[in-house]
Amino acid sequence: MTETQIFEPDGRAIRYVDEGEGPVALVLIPEPGLERDALGVVGHYLAEEAGFRVVRISTPAVSELPGDGEGLSERVSAIAGVLDHLGLDHTWIGGHGFGGTVARAFAAEQTGRVNGVLLLGVQDEQIDLPPAIPVLIIQGTDDDVTPPANGERLHATARDRASVTGIPGAGHLFPLTHPIQTAVVIEEYLDWD
């Protein structure tokens, strides 16, 4: 696996891994509490086997954030800072669970930088998907934390540009328990050209 790097804007330490050199850039944000290499196998497969550039960003814990502790806008700012640091103007962005919620908030605030959104388990949050941006939703069929119904509801708001795929028999931690299957779904979706 590629070594973790640290970006330190305003004295905050934001850990990230930048792997691969492909023409398609994909940012992955793990579920908080699973930070380290939660999406490591998925990211490594997409970088090494599928030929994408994959940036995995661990956003700060709430205790490390300034202000009111809400954290979502601070996390979006942290992601934008890392992308600026790496010189990435356009990317797919996605995440697992709350990481996907951060990705949705980033896409809503920074629409001009987003080529598409990738959600691994959808939280039931009221964050509209930006118009005209493709969305891939992957759900574990046995996920009781971010149940498939959440993904179906989000899909219903953007049927013309959103796709839903289930990982049969998988729970909420499917990116860890079924990493290659998850990565292959992403690879096949993004490799349309």
Side-chain angles (χ1 to χ4, degrees):
M1 296 283 179
T2 304
E3 184 176 323
T4 299
Q5 299 179 60
I6 299 176
F7 176 58
E8 298 186 86
D10 306 321
R12 295 178 295 151
I14 303 168
R15 291 170 178 77
Y16 71 93
V17 173
D18 184 7
E19 187 172 17
E21 299 178 3
V24 175
L26 173 61
V27 172
L28 295 176
I29 307 163
E31 177 94 80
L34 304 177
E35 299 293 349
R36 282 295 170 187
D37 283 321
L39 298 175
V41 175
V42 172
H44 188 70
Y45 177 93
L46 291 170
E48 295 300 316
E49 301 298 325
F52 299 127
R53 180 178 182 184
V54 180
V55 179
R56 291 183 283 120
I57 304 174
S58 297
T59 60
V62 173
S63 62
E64 298 172 1
L65 294 170
D68 59 13
E70 285 295 319
L72 199 54
S73 63
E74 288 88 350
R75 285 178 167 87
V76 168
S77 177
I79 300 296
V82 173
L83 297 185
D84 290 343
H85 174 69
L86 295 174
L88 285 172
D89 295 328
H90 296 86
T91 182
W92 275 78
I93 187 161
H96 175 223
F98 182 71
T101 299
V102 174
R104 286 166 64 186
F106 183 92
E109 289 184 28
Q110 309 250 344
T111 305
R113 299 181 79 164
V114 176
N115 296 333
V117 177
L118 167 65
L119 303 172
L120 308 175
V122 175
Q123 287 191 321
D124 193 15
E125 297 290 334
Q126 299 302 313
I127 301 172
D128 293 334
L129 294 169
I133 290 178
V135 180
L136 174 62
I137 299 167
I138 305 175
Q139 293 281 166
T141 61
D142 294 346
D143 186 343
D144 58 358
V145 176
T146 53
N150 293 355
E152 292 298 335
R153 277 193 298 276
L154 186 61
H155 177 245
T157 69
R159 288 197 187 279
D160 59 324
R161 57 198 166 82
S163 299
V164 180
T165 299
I167 305 289
H172 181 62
L173 298 179
F174 69 88
L176 287 84
T177 61
H178 298 73
I180 302 304
Q181 195 172 352
T182 301
V184 167
V185 170
I186 297 167
E187 176 187 17
E188 290 176 350
Y189 182 81
L190 292 179
D191 194 22
W192 58 67
D193 57 332

